[in-house]
Amino acid sequence: MGESLLHEDAAPIEMDVQDLHKSFGQARVLAGVSLTVNRGEVIALIGGSGCGKTVLLKHLTGHHRAERGKVRMCNHDEEGSPLVDLATLSEDAMDRLRIHWAVVFQRNALLSGSVLFNLSFWPSEIKGLSPEQIQPIAVDALRAVGLDPNQLLERDRDELSGGMAKRLAIARALVMDPVVAFYDEPTAGLDPEMCATVHDLILKTHHTMPAAGVRRTSIVVTHDTGLLRRLAPRVIMLADGRVHFDGDFDSFIGRDDEHIRPYLEQMAVLHRRVPPDGPEEH
Ligand SMILES: Nc1ncnc2c1ncn2[C@@H]1O[C@H](COP(=O)(O)OP(=O)(O)O)[C@@H](O)[C@H]1O
Ligand SMILES: [Mg+2]
């Protein structure tokens, strides 16, 4: 069904997008996006508000179908993890791919109900795990994000603070032990301390080997320049419906153009205003 491709440094290709187009009515959002991600990479997907980052992410996860162009993703449910064209898959086949992914949504998208219910839903629905199998995994995931399972498992979603809800959203991704982790603006609206905690969680999760035994790939949609500096990822920037920049973090901060400058300025400001021992007094 699919072919296996090897990148020149022998890391297999995890996802490949070619000439992707998407419009909503008259509004063209993606106008020929092409990118290739190798297994094990951390990618920061950046770009101005409304430029199509979430729309692109939804194409990668099969929630939008390509209008024109091709999205191919590895199917980790098959021997050899072949790349498959998402357009050729039935919903059932798509679900088999999703077993190996997890998404931390922009607005957390927690389900109404308890913390345990939120942690159980996907493992139960997607992986078919029983409550007895899920319980210890849920406890471990909460601990991994710094939440106390004894206090929180039975708590209602609506009783959580913003920071706790974000941690729970990440714990919900961890219980899936994904080969590919997608994060959509994981630090939006959080205070600097919680941002740093989330950065560490993303890095820690990235470097933990999934049970499937293949390296994890992390795709992080972000505006957060602190996260960029901390993860020093490969940066892919969208602008005007296309990939405007694709390269390592060092080349990114060495480049100066109208789209990149605002990020560099923000980083310079952060650098000036936040010395290592804490923010300056005002
Ligand atoms: N389901 C939809 N229907 C109509 N327009 C949409 C839909 N989803 C996204 N858009 C539009 O597509 C553009 C890109 O959105 P999005 O990918 O969410 O931006 P961002 O880069 O901030 O994540 C925006 O102009 C948004 O209004
Ligand atoms: Mg978005």
Side-chain angles (χ1 to χ4, degrees):
M1 185 147 92
E3 71 209 88
S4 232
L5 289 180
L6 284 181
H7 191 250
E8 55 204 6
D9 64 6
I13 291 178
E14 182 65 44
M15 53 190 84
D16 180 60
V17 175
Q18 292 301 326
D19 199 32
L20 180 64
H21 287 67
K22 178 71 177 180
S23 298
F24 294 101
Q26 296 297 310
R28 177 180 274 197
V29 178
L30 304 179
V33 168
S34 299
L35 56 93
T36 302
V37 174
N38 300 310
R39 187 159 312 148
E41 285 192 292
V42 184
I43 305 285
L45 182 59
I46 67 171
S49 186
C51 76
K53 303 178 295 297
T54 298
V55 168
L56 172 58
L57 203 73
K58 286 183 172 172
H59 280 87
L60 299 177
T61 56
H63 292 100
H64 285 323
R65 294 286 167 123
E67 183 178 288
R68 197 170 119 199
K70 210 176 248 196
V71 178
R72 292 184 306 162
M73 303 287 289
C74 275
N75 178 3
H76 293 287
D77 219 48
E78 252 184 58
E79 188 71 33
S81 300
L83 272 178
V84 291
D85 181 347
L86 298 191
T88 65
L89 301 181
S90 65
E91 266 309 308
D92 277 357
M94 194 68 236
D95 283 345
R96 306 297 302 168
L97 266 67
R98 290 200 183 107
I99 292 176
H100 305 275
W101 302 341
V103 187
V104 177
F105 293 100
Q106 196 161 354
R107 277 178 280 276
N108 298 333
L110 297 178
L111 306 163
S112 59
S114 71
V115 167
L116 180 59
F117 175 69
N118 272 278
L119 291 171
S120 305
F121 187 76
W122 287 346
S124 159
E125 286 288 307
I126 299 179
K127 291 193 166 177
L129 299 187
S130 68
E132 293 71 30
Q133 289 170 309
I134 293 169
Q135 175 85 15
I137 301 172
V139 165
D140 284 351
L142 279 183
R143 291 213 175 99
V145 299
L147 295 176
D148 180 355
N150 295 325
Q151 298 221 341
L152 285 174
L153 269 178
E154 301 304 331
R155 227 21 122 76
D156 193 86
R157 160 197 83 166
D158 295 335
E159 295 170 43
L160 304 179
S161 69
M164 286 161 108
K166 182 57 75 183
R167 289 192 205 215
L168 174 57
I170 293 175
R172 195 169 57 160
L174 290 180
V175 293
M176 293 300 286
D177 191 27
V179 173
V180 183
F182 298 96
Y183 302 85
D184 197 351
E185 305 213 15
T187 58
L190 299 180
D191 64 49
E193 200 179 327
M194 187 54 65
C195 286
T197 304
V198 170
H199 299 166
D200 289 345
L201 279 173
I202 290 173
L203 261 191
K204 193 170 102 184
T205 304
H206 181 77
H207 290 295
T208 312
M209 186 68 94
V214 295
R215 288 181 66 200
R216 186 165 276 141
T217 303
S218 303
I219 310 287
V220 190
V221 171
T222 188
H223 276 299
D224 181 345
T225 49
L227 190 144
L228 288 181
R229 276 198 308 196
R230 189 97 148 212
L231 269 61
R234 172 176 159 201
V235 177
I236 298 180
M237 175 182 249
L238 296 183
D240 303 326
R242 291 166 183 265
V243 173
H244 172 73
F245 175 89
D246 181 354
D248 61 31
F249 179 71
D250 288 341
S251 334
F252 178 74
I253 57 175
R255 177 115 157 231
D256 189 3
D257 65 37
E258 54 169 326
H259 293 296
I260 293 179
R261 196 167 308 129
Y263 288 84
L264 303 183
E265 282 169 359
Q266 204 192 338
M267 282 193 233
V269 167
L270 287 173
H271 198 64
R272 270 203 307 279
R273 286 203 187 145
V274 188
D277 53 348
E280 276 169 22
E281 302 285 342
H282 286 281

